[in-house]
Amino acid sequence: MKCENCTKKECSKKQKNDEKQNTSVAALSANDENEEKNEFHRLASAKIFLSDCLACDSCMTSEESARIFQQNQKELFRILNLNKKCDTSKHKVLAVSICPQSLPYFAAKFNLCVNDAVKKLCGFLKNLGAHYVFDTTIAADFSILESQKEFVQRYRQQNQEEHALPMFASACPGWIRYAERVLTNLVTPRICTAKSPQQIMGSLVKGYFARQQNLSPDKIFHIIVAPCYDKKLEALREDFYTPLYNSQDVDCVLTSGEIVQIMEQKNVSMKEVAEMAVDSLFGEIKEGDIVRHDGRRSDGYLEHIFKHAAKELFDVDVEEITYKTLKNKDFQEVTLEKDGETVLRFAAAYGFRNIQNMVLKLKKGKFLYHFVEVLACPGGCLNGKGQAQTEDGKPDKVLLSQMEEVYAAIPVRLPETSMHVHKLYQDWLEGTDSKKVQETLHTKYCAVNQTASNVDIKW
């Protein structure tokens, strides 16, 4: 039996019909040294099977498979245990960064407003043993700003550079894995080189924040709380590893659902957790209310890049974006008309069926779009398989609807208006167009040799 997203004729995706796919929690015997150790190890034994991930086993090496199994609660409790030992030389500063699309899940699940939800989540994580809890919105600011600049550059170079356009968004790791392992050179030169918010947050925490705290990057254990399992794959990429310190920018990714599992195992009531303010990367300053970017179910790359390009390239101020739904609600387009001519044509393609149709058009030379916001999850990031799922693995439509309402109600802030971003460009990155910006905020996506791929498969 093949998974719904597979493009292989032979699929090695694991089938776990006789046990729950999301977690398997095993209690230790009564001979454990003490109750505390028993609790840590009981929670730590939970595993995430690859069947929970959008990328199937065929796209992974055996080494990657082994490392992905380590991306679970076991790593968190290993660090918590380590920090309780007498040898302080082995202690780690535990930093947790929370994705904006995870917050509506906690708000909807526990019937809280989003600002109360993030404060209670912060309180829970700190009571657990986290030293710092951050919001990754500032990382998305950088990713969007760099994507905007790159699109304008590519648009102006489209007559000189064969693969300048269309440009594909790079924020979704499921899409990136699929592009590199299956679509290869057809797509990879067209992927935006800006890092995803997750990995920019990794650079911020292990780079800027570590320097501010006079810490070596390897002394920080950095966890990301994210809506989908593919973020675990992204954290393992070699281009997000610093050999000098033997340190990944992101050490472990836990899904929103995995955090709730820990709460349930510890019998924690969210409403009884004391609220704590989210930390800032800038010392003693605490973060204010949660803000988000334009975009109904994601970080809003399409909206921000479209408005920026309209102004920068054609001196047109776009206040509101009008979407045109095409084959389904997860494939929509936006256009800009000037002097009777369509000068910008953008699309949002969510879910692998829409992605596949998009790629087939590209292969046949019938692709009209300048930019596509590509997300592997149908419905976008809020519908990540690490949160909006029922116990049998199906989308929780009621919860998802509540999450969308919560997310839509969060105030929008333009990345260009963030004073912290402007400060970091100068103090950390040596200017907006420096070599350090390219080294820190950008990467390169390349085709990976893969056998038995077939982009012509019918969905």
Side-chain angles (χ1 to χ4, degrees), residues 283-323:
E284 297 301 318
I285 302 172
K286 297 296 182 180
E287 292 289 353
D289 289 346
I290 295 298
V291 296
R292 67 174 178 90
H293 299 108
D294 272 334
R296 295 160 298 171
R297 292 167 290 182
S298 67
D299 275 315
Y301 285 82
L302 185 151
E303 286 89 341
H304 288 283
I305 296 174
F306 187 85
K307 291 178 180 179
H308 176 79
K311 181 63 176 178
E312 188 75 13
L313 295 170
F314 305 104
D315 197 28
V316 174
D317 292 306
V318 177
E319 298 296 332
E320 294 291 333
I321 287 181
T322 301
Y323 284 89

Side-chain angles (χ1 to χ4, degrees), residues 135 137-139 141 144 287 289 291-294 304 410-421:
D135 169 23
T137 300
I138 190 170
D141 286 338
I144 290 169
E287 292 289 353
D289 289 346
V291 296
R292 67 174 178 90
H293 299 108
D294 272 334
H304 288 283
I410 299 174
V412 172
R413 187 199 66 197
L414 297 177
E416 295 89 341
T417 64
S418 172
M419 296 307 297
H420 284 158
V421 169

Side-chain angles (χ1 to χ4, degrees), residues 36-73:
E36 179 180 334
K37 183 175 180 180
N38 180 33
E39 178 185 33
F40 279 147
H41 283 262
R42 184 172 66 250
L43 286 165
S45 65
K47 289 184 178 180
I48 300 301
F49 297 109
L50 294 181
S51 54
D52 288 322
C53 187
L54 288 174
C56 73
D57 301 7
S58 299
C59 289
M60 301 181 69
T61 65
S62 57
E63 180 184 358
E64 286 173 325
S65 298
R67 293 174 68 194
I68 199 75
F69 279 131
Q70 297 173 2
Q71 294 269 322
N72 56 31
Q73 296 103 319

